[in-house]
Amino acid sequence: MILRRAFSSALCLGEWSTAMSSFTRNSSVLATKHRSGCVTARPLSGFCHYRSNSKEEQKRETRNKGLTVQAVRCYARPIRKKQDYPSQLADLPPSLLKKEYAGIQCANQTDDLVKKLLTLELASHKEKLKIKTEQMIDMVRRNPNDNGSTEVQVATLTVNIRNLQEHLQKHPKDKSNKRRMLMAIDRRKKLLKYLRRTRYDLFENVCKQLGITYTFPQEYYRKATRRWAAKKALCIKVFNEVRKQRLAERLRQKEAEAVKQESAAKEESPV
């Protein structure tokens, strides 16, 4: 095969001397025997390239002689280590009983193997979240039977938000859970705003116990234009007119009720 390629290339180009010299030079480099006896093949540079006599290719070669070829450098991408954020479930002791077995007295007197199954040592993430939610609710509930007040809803949403934040730190491309987290944050913000407006002392206690930092919403700003000012003036004028009409209607109803009461009193009084 090597002889056939060499002679075919020589026949095509008309260079017998170069073909024979390249064959004798590379025939000794075809295979080299090592001490172990294995044979390793090496590339043949003489048979891979040939010289062309076309004027266009010669011009191209002379044009590319002055160009410098730079080696491609493949730089490895730096590996960024993810930060280890503290989990809200880290403070739960593994010896704590699950929610279903918390009220059973004989649960602490069982064997070690059974106790592992009853405690948080082999519990799932969902079971740990239940206990954490109960602990957060106990901090802010008004009485032992309180399960639906504003403070309890805020505590439940806080546990859910922190759980989703921990999940998104590991999986930042989870768009559905990110949407759920943002919806829960908006819901909690509305509840805290209502609690701050109605019971400020409870609002401060809830933020302190649950570790919530309340941020005030941005002030509403709108550019005052002539059209907006005229529309606002018209709305205020309409509001005042409607209020006057309603007051007049109430006065008429009161006068009519007073006339009815007087007529009823005259009928009931003896003649």
Side-chain angles (χ1 to χ4, degrees):
M1 290 296 292
I2 297 169
L3 287 172
R4 190 180 299 172
R5 288 178 186 174
F7 290 125
S8 62
S9 61
L11 284 171
C12 293
L13 299 174
E15 295 182 356
W16 288 89
S17 61
T18 56
M20 292 302 294
S21 62
S22 63
F23 173 74
T24 54
R25 184 174 62 254
N26 291 309
S27 60
S28 61
V29 190
L30 287 175
T32 58
K33 292 185 178 181
H34 294 281
R35 294 179 182 178
S36 58
C38 60
V39 179
T40 58
R42 295 184 181 179
L44 301 175
S45 60
F47 298 110
C48 295
H49 304 284
Y50 60 90
R51 185 182 298 173
S52 60
N53 294 325
S54 62
K55 294 182 179 180
E56 293 180 359
E57 292 186 0
Q58 288 178 0
K59 288 180 181 179
R60 200 175 299 165
E61 288 177 1
T62 54
R63 194 185 305 157
N64 296 332
K65 277 182 181 179
L67 298 176
T68 57
V69 180
Q70 294 182 355
V72 179
R73 297 180 180 177
C74 300
Y75 294 102
R77 185 176 294 177
I79 299 172
R80 297 179 180 178
K81 293 183 179 180
K82 294 184 179 180
Q83 293 181 352
D84 293 333
Y85 294 93
S87 176
Q88 63 173 348
L89 306 176
D91 58 344
L92 293 176
S95 61
L96 189 66
L97 291 172
K98 294 181 183 179
K99 185 181 177 182
E100 296 83 6
Y101 309 107
I104 301 174
Q105 297 179 357
C106 62
N108 293 321
Q109 301 174 0
T110 56
D111 300 335
D112 294 339
L113 183 60
V114 179
K115 194 178 288 184
K116 284 184 180 181
L117 297 174
L118 302 181
T119 57
L120 297 181
E121 190 173 354
L122 299 176
S124 62
H125 185 76
K126 188 176 181 181
E127 292 172 343
K128 291 180 181 179
L129 273 180
K130 286 181 182 179
I131 295 175
K132 190 64 181 179
T133 307
E134 285 294 325
Q135 289 181 358
M136 299 283 273
I137 289 172
D138 290 337
M139 292 180 184
V140 297
R141 68 182 359 161
R142 301 177 186 178
N143 51 64
N145 297 324
D146 181 16
N147 293 320
S149 62
T150 309
E151 302 92 287
V152 173
Q153 294 179 41
V154 169
T156 307
L157 287 170
T158 302
V159 175
N160 189 18
I161 289 167
R162 289 174 182 171
N163 180 40
L164 290 172
Q165 284 175 350
E166 293 171 11
H167 174 75
L168 289 171
Q169 285 166 1
K170 298 178 182 177
H171 310 281
K173 294 186 178 181
D174 194 349
K175 304 298 182 182
S176 59
N177 280 321
K178 186 176 182 180
R179 180 175 174 271
R180 292 190 187 97
M181 184 189 72
L182 294 175
M183 289 171 65
I185 289 171
D186 289 340
R187 175 66 180 161
R188 187 181 68 174
K189 193 178 290 185
K190 289 179 182 178
L191 292 171
L192 287 172
K193 185 179 178 182
Y194 167 75
L195 197 62
R196 183 175 179 273
R197 190 175 68 249
T198 55
R199 305 270 309 264
Y200 191 79
D201 54 343
L202 287 177
F203 165 77
E204 283 188 337
N205 184 38
V206 167
C207 291
K208 183 179 179 181
Q209 294 292 336
L210 302 180
I212 299 172
T213 304
Y214 182 77
T215 57
F216 294 94
Q218 295 181 357
E219 294 183 359
Y220 179 76
Y221 173 76
R222 183 172 180 176
K223 189 177 180 181
T225 58
R226 291 182 180 178
R227 182 177 179 181
W228 177 80
K231 187 176 180 181
K232 186 177 180 181
L234 178 63
C235 291
I236 292 171
K237 187 176 180 180
V238 171
F239 175 75
N240 292 330
E241 290 292 331
V242 171
R243 188 169 63 178
K244 288 178 182 178
Q245 291 178 4
R246 288 179 179 175
L247 287 173
E249 187 68 26
R250 287 175 187 171
L251 288 174
R252 284 186 216 140
Q253 290 178 359
K254 286 182 180 180
E255 289 175 359
E257 288 178 0
V259 171
K260 286 182 181 180
Q261 288 178 0
E262 288 177 1
S263 59
K266 288 179 181 178
E267 290 177 358
E268 290 178 358
S269 62
V271 181

